Amino acid sequence: MYEKKFMMEAIALSQRFLEDGKGGPFGAVVVKDGEIIGRGSNRVTANNDPTAHAEVMAIREACQHLKSFQLTGCEIYASCEPCPMCLGAIYWARPDHIYYAAQREDCSEIGFDDSMIYHEIAVPPAERKIPTEQYDREEAVSALFKWKNYLHKIPY
């Protein structure tokens, strides 16, 4: 169930960039059983890491806290609607709920426009803006099937 105090923490983290100038204006927290177990603010420029978005940083911290790659039983509060990358990471982490404040259109107005990425996902690989080509499928599929039959794998 939504709790405003957790969203206010995510929004406070989004304002952190104003203090250190090392990221974008985004924040996120992961909550489990009424306790924040992961916090993240955008650290893209601070870390020279295009994947260091607030949600990803919060997921990393929460997973370390739980010693698990799954966030079952958790909720994510984000200062803004998650971008496609973050949404993918969130789905892989499998939390129970996502809450967000600003919407993607709000971000677009300040220069963070994800609409091109949403569009590109739906375009066939050969037609994407970044040239995308497929090679050596058989060798890759062979490795995939080795994993499929591996007795000691940890499914995710």
Side-chain angles (χ1 to χ4, degrees):
M1 182 184 306
Y2 176 79
E3 291 192 49
K4 186 177 180 94
K5 67 181 179 180
F6 298 129
M7 186 62 77
M8 292 301 103
E9 177 67 14
I11 292 170
L13 287 167
S14 77
Q15 296 171 353
R16 183 172 162 185
F17 89 101
L18 292 171
E19 298 164 14
D20 63 21
K22 296 184 178 177
F26 305 100
V29 296
V30 177
V31 175
K32 184 172 178 78
D33 300 326
E35 176 188 342
I36 295 175
I37 60 166
R39 287 179 171 80
S41 60
N42 183 285
R43 307 302 290 169
V44 169
T45 57
N47 295 4
N48 293 316
D49 179 354
T51 69
H53 289 201
E55 296 89 338
V56 172
M57 302 301 282
I59 288 168
R60 290 174 181 165
E61 187 173 288
C63 287
Q64 290 299 309
H65 175 84
L66 294 174
K67 297 179 177 28
S68 173
F69 55 86
Q70 303 266 285
L71 295 178
T72 306
C74 297
E75 301 168 323
I76 294 180
Y77 287 77
S79 65
C80 186
E81 182 178 356
C83 76
M85 177 187 71
C86 292
L87 190 58
I90 290 167
Y91 270 84
W92 278 111
R94 295 179 177 87
D96 292 355
H97 210 105
I98 305 165
Y99 301 103
Y100 67 91
Q103 57 193 32
R104 63 177 125 160
E105 292 82 4
D106 299 320
C107 291
S108 178
E109 288 183 29
I110 63 162
F112 292 95
D113 189 358
D114 296 331
S115 63
M116 180 273 295
I117 299 170
Y118 283 102
H119 172 76
E120 286 288 292
I121 289 170
V123 172
E127 298 173 25
R128 292 182 181 154
K129 289 184 181 191
I130 297 176
T132 305
E133 301 177 52
Q134 180 183 28
Y135 294 98
D136 304 312
R137 179 178 179 267
E138 290 179 23
E139 290 86 343
V141 169
S142 173
L144 293 174
F145 277 91
K146 285 180 185 175
W147 183 87
K148 179 183 178 189
N149 297 318
Y150 181 63
L151 298 177
H152 303 290
K153 70 180 170 227
I154 300 171
Y156 62 99

